[in-house]
Amino acid sequence: MSRARQNHSNMNWKALHEEAIERNRILESEVERLEKELAESKRFGEKVVQSLKITTLELRYIRAKQFCAKTEKMPNGQIGIFDNLGSIEPPKGDESSDVPPKTIFNRNVSKKGRKSAGYRKELFQDLPRKKVEVPLPEAHWICDCCNGLKVKIGEEVSEQIDFVPATIFVIENIRPKVACPKCEEGVKIAPKVVKLIKKGLPGFGLVAHIAISKYGDHLPLKRQEAILGRMGLPIARQTMWDWLFAGSEVLKPLAERIKAEVIQSDIIWTDDTPVKLKIAIAAAALNRKLPEGRMWTYRGDSLHPYIYYDFTLTRKREGPVSVLKGFAGILQADAYAGYDCVYTSGEVLEAACFAHVRRKFFEAILSAGETAITAVRMIDALYHVEHETERIAAKNFYGQQDFFKLRLEMRNVKSRSLVARLKEWLDEQSVKQLPQSRIGKAIKYALNNWVALNTFFVNGEVTLDNNLAEGALRRIALGRKNYLFFGSETGGKAAAIYYTLIASATRNGIEPFKYLRDVLTRLTMEPGIDLDELLPCLLYTSPSPRDGLLSRMPSSA
């Protein structure tokens, strides 16, 4: 009996032991589950905190962007990195330059950076002059001492600028008709005058004036209608548009010739900007979404000094692909994916824009503070090298090609180490910053485009940024603020033609109104004319049949 009790007791202890082990296992499993849930909750909490932090910083950025100054300039105290750049020995034993770094072609600038005394007179030397002699009172001609007659010993000349409004006039084309008075036969009449529009009223100068006012001075046709009305010419807007369209059809072959010249460049700067379409505005009122039109610009290099514009209904890659067909060289653009198929051909080398990179880091300053400022400083150091090159070139009166060679040399000597330092910093920061933060996105953008950002070491004419193309689009931005939209695709195509000719003429230093009037006249009166004779940089060797004199003006395109 005692043995049975002992066996039963042993079995109870064994069961209790197994039960305790099972409970311990369950507890351990529960603890492990709770620990995993706690760790997951912590990770989720960290994500929520990070998301909240990013959202707060984004809100701060949006508020700052709305109400703060739009400039991207850094305070003077933030450019201390320039102190350790050193200097390259300029050619010909040149000393440090005092010429301002605005351009390598400064005119009449004193050592202190102010305009010299002769600058004011130089501005007016090409203007027509009207001499007005101020009469001297008769009493001043009599000497107070001897009552003798005074003689003129000199004169003082002062200048003032006046304005005479433009004049609209009617040209009466008189065609003499002759006949034999005896035979009363053989009647002959002078040939009809060639006009831009058959049986139309507008002369070449009037159409050129309307085009320059709209696409050069950004005056919508509604305002021009009122202006011309005050001058005694009541012309409706629709009529003016019909004239502009007729002119664009005449100018289209010349615009295509300019496009062919641009495509022959070794470097092209390109960019695009949206422009509203009237049909898209009407569709929006009906809650139908239509894409905005796009205006593209393609700027040729220094040996092909032209700017071509193209209008498309969408931003699809077909636009740049069709224009850049046959191009082989360096294409400087933003990181828009639509250009990728152009680069894949192997004949086009991509050049990226440091200004875009800098802007992204500048926008991250509010959230990243000193980290973003460090990146901006490093990029500014590259621009400092560019400005130093411009000062040396201006001091030694370099031509364009010599300037490009000097700039490439300066980049290899000074900028390579700066770029290497920037790359090392980007790699280091890429593992420290939040990927979704502004600083993280800026770092990723720079690293993704790093190869293209280094293309400026290949050719001295390649710029650090794409500001040349963005500057060419500034006229489009100013225009759309005034005329607001294009009426149709036809209007956009016509505008691109006029923008092409106006911008190309301005870049070559030609007064755009005279150029536009000249080419409209010659293309209409001489249908078979060689288009090369009408290119802006060659036009001076081919004088116009009307006045032939096209004045030079400072290039701003």
Side-chain angles (χ1 to χ4, degrees):
M1 188 72 180
S2 60
R3 181 175 293 181
R5 286 182 179 179
Q6 185 176 359
N7 291 337
H8 180 70
S9 176
N10 291 336
M11 290 178 62
N12 288 341
W13 278 109
K14 187 176 181 181
L16 289 174
H17 179 69
E18 292 177 353
E19 183 178 355
I21 292 175
E22 180 64 20
R23 288 182 178 181
N24 186 52
R25 187 184 63 79
I26 294 174
L27 288 174
E28 288 179 351
S29 176
E30 187 69 15
V31 168
E32 184 179 355
R33 183 183 65 82
L34 292 175
E35 287 178 347
K36 288 182 179 180
E37 290 182 357
L38 179 60
E40 186 176 349
S41 299
K42 286 183 178 181
R43 286 194 297 269
F44 178 76
E46 290 174 357
K47 289 182 179 180
V48 171
V49 171
Q50 291 178 0
S51 178
L52 182 61
K53 181 180 178 181
I54 293 174
T55 304
T56 304
L57 294 173
E58 281 294 307
L59 180 60
R60 183 181 177 186
Y61 166 76
I62 292 172
R63 288 175 176 172
K65 187 175 182 180
Q66 183 176 2
F67 298 108
C68 295
K70 301 297 188 294
T71 179
E72 295 181 7
K73 290 184 177 180
M74 294 292 292
N76 291 333
Q78 301 290 356
I79 56 176
I81 192 172
F82 296 157
D83 298 339
N84 298 321
L85 283 179
S87 62
I88 187 171
E89 186 68 23
K92 302 178 183 180
D94 189 17
E95 298 177 357
S96 60
S97 172
D98 293 319
V99 181
K102 295 293 183 184
T103 172
I104 64 170
F105 305 108
N106 285 296
R107 298 173 302 171
N108 296 316
V109 180
S110 66
K111 288 185 178 181
K112 295 183 179 181
R114 295 191 297 267
K115 295 173 183 175
S116 60
Y119 182 74
R120 180 178 175 184
K121 285 189 176 182
E122 184 180 313
L123 289 177
F124 316 138
Q125 66 179 2
D126 294 331
L127 296 178
R129 293 177 176 270
K130 179 181 179 182
K131 294 184 180 294
V132 178
E133 188 164 342
V134 181
L136 186 69
E138 293 185 3
H140 292 176
W141 285 96
I142 305 300
C143 180
D144 296 334
C145 299
C146 64
N147 292 329
L149 185 64
K150 295 180 181 179
V151 296
K152 183 177 179 180
I153 61 173
E155 61 186 15
E156 290 186 5
V157 180
S158 62
E159 297 178 345
Q160 61 182 144
I161 304 175
D162 206 349
F163 174 76
V164 177
T167 303
I168 297 178
F169 57 92
V170 177
I171 299 176
E172 293 185 355
N173 297 304
I174 301 173
R175 301 163 59 205
K177 184 185 298 185
V178 297
C180 179
K182 295 181 180 179
C183 305
E184 297 183 357
E185 292 181 0
V187 178
K188 299 293 183 181
I189 188 172
K192 292 183 178 180
V193 176
V194 179
K195 296 183 178 181
L196 180 64
I197 302 175
K198 189 176 182 180
K199 297 183 179 180
L201 287 176
F204 301 107
L206 180 57
V207 175
H209 169 73
I210 295 173
I212 293 296
S213 298
K214 179 173 174 62
Y215 302 112
D217 300 328
H218 321 297
L219 282 176
L221 295 182
K222 181 178 180 180
R223 295 182 200 168
Q224 294 193 56
E225 182 181 15
I227 293 171
L228 293 177
R230 292 199 306 266
M231 300 172 68
L233 184 63
I235 297 294
R237 280 169 277 171
Q238 183 59 48
T239 302
M240 284 191 281
W241 159 243
D242 292 339
W243 294 350
L244 288 177
F245 175 71
S248 70
E249 290 296 297
V250 173
L251 297 170
K252 186 176 181 180
L254 181 56
E256 290 297 314
R257 183 67 189 90
I258 290 177
K259 169 188 170 182
E261 283 290 315
V262 171
I263 297 304
Q264 294 177 23
S265 301
D266 291 330
I267 307 168
I268 292 180
W269 292 263
T270 181
D271 202 357
D272 68 289
T273 189
V275 182
K276 293 186 183 298
L277 287 172
K278 189 175 182 180
I279 55 175
I281 297 174
L286 300 175
N287 295 324
R288 291 187 300 157
K289 187 176 181 180
L290 285 178
E292 292 179 316
R294 311 293 298 196
M295 187 68 79
W296 306 74
T297 184
Y298 303 87
R299 179 186 171 104
D301 59 19
S302 58
L303 299 180
H304 304 85
Y306 309 103
I307 303 176
Y308 177 73
Y309 290 85
D310 184 44
F311 176 81
T312 60
L313 289 176
T314 67
R315 205 193 181 199
K316 293 181 179 179
R317 65 182 184 181
E318 285 76 8
V321 168
S322 62
V323 173
L324 295 171
K325 184 178 181 181
F327 170 65
I330 298 174
L331 182 66
Q332 186 146 22
D334 55 23
Y336 172 51
Y339 297 115
D340 290 348
C341 56
V342 178
Y343 304 133
T344 55
S345 66
E347 297 181 349
V348 180
L349 181 63
E350 179 183 5
C353 175
F354 265 103
H356 281 75
V357 178
R358 185 187 186 278
R359 185 174 300 121
K360 292 182 181 297
F361 281 109
F362 188 88
E363 292 173 349
I365 289 178
L366 286 175
S367 57
E370 188 64 32
T371 304
I373 292 176
T374 301
V376 174
R377 287 175 179 173
M378 291 182 175
I379 297 173
D380 286 348
L382 296 174
Y383 280 95
H384 182 76
V385 175
E386 303 291 297
H387 296 159
E388 184 181 354
T389 307
E390 292 176 0
R391 286 194 292 268
I392 295 174
K395 186 75 171 181
N396 293 276
F397 302 101
Y398 276 33
Q400 278 190 336
Q401 300 305 317
D402 290 335
F403 166 66
F404 297 147
K405 292 179 181 177
L406 174 65
R407 186 159 66 178
L408 186 61
E409 177 188 352
M410 292 278 281
R411 288 170 176 174
N412 286 321
V413 172
K414 304 183 71 172
S415 297
R416 280 197 180 276
S417 59
L418 298 174
V419 170
R421 192 189 315 171
L422 176 61
K423 179 62 164 61
E424 182 181 351
W425 182 87
L426 289 172
D427 291 335
E428 178 184 343
Q429 293 296 322
S430 62
V431 297
K432 294 181 180 180
Q433 305 299 330
L434 297 175
Q436 297 302 315
S437 64
R438 283 198 169 269
I439 184 70
K441 291 179 179 179
I443 293 172
K444 182 179 179 181
Y445 179 86
L447 291 175
N448 288 345
N449 295 279
W450 189 252
V451 175
L453 286 171
N454 281 266
T455 305
F456 76 107
F457 289 116
V458 175
N459 189 315
E461 191 170 357
V462 177
T463 53
L464 275 182
D465 49 50
N466 199 33
N467 288 352
L468 290 177
E470 293 183 6
L473 287 177
R474 189 173 293 119
R475 64 179 72 247
I476 311 297
L478 291 174
R480 71 185 175 206
K481 285 185 178 180
N482 290 274
Y483 52 66
L484 302 181
F485 54 82
F486 293 141
S488 63
E489 182 180 7
T490 302
K493 295 288 186 183
I497 292 173
Y498 283 111
Y499 279 129
T500 296
L501 269 65
I502 293 171
S504 297
T506 304
R507 183 179 177 186
N508 284 274
I510 303 177
E511 203 285 311
F513 166 75
K514 291 184 178 181
Y515 174 70
L516 207 56
R517 183 187 61 180
D518 189 86
V519 295
L520 278 172
T521 302
R522 299 184 67 177
L523 285 170
T524 304
M525 297 177 64
E526 308 172 38
I529 188 173
D530 185 1
L531 295 177
D532 287 349
E533 296 182 13
L534 302 181
L535 292 175
C537 69
L538 302 177
L539 196 57
Y540 300 106
T541 59
S542 308
S544 164
R546 178 153 299 193
D547 61 9
L549 237 21
L550 299 177
S551 59
R552 285 276 183 180
M553 61 177 293
S555 176
S556 60

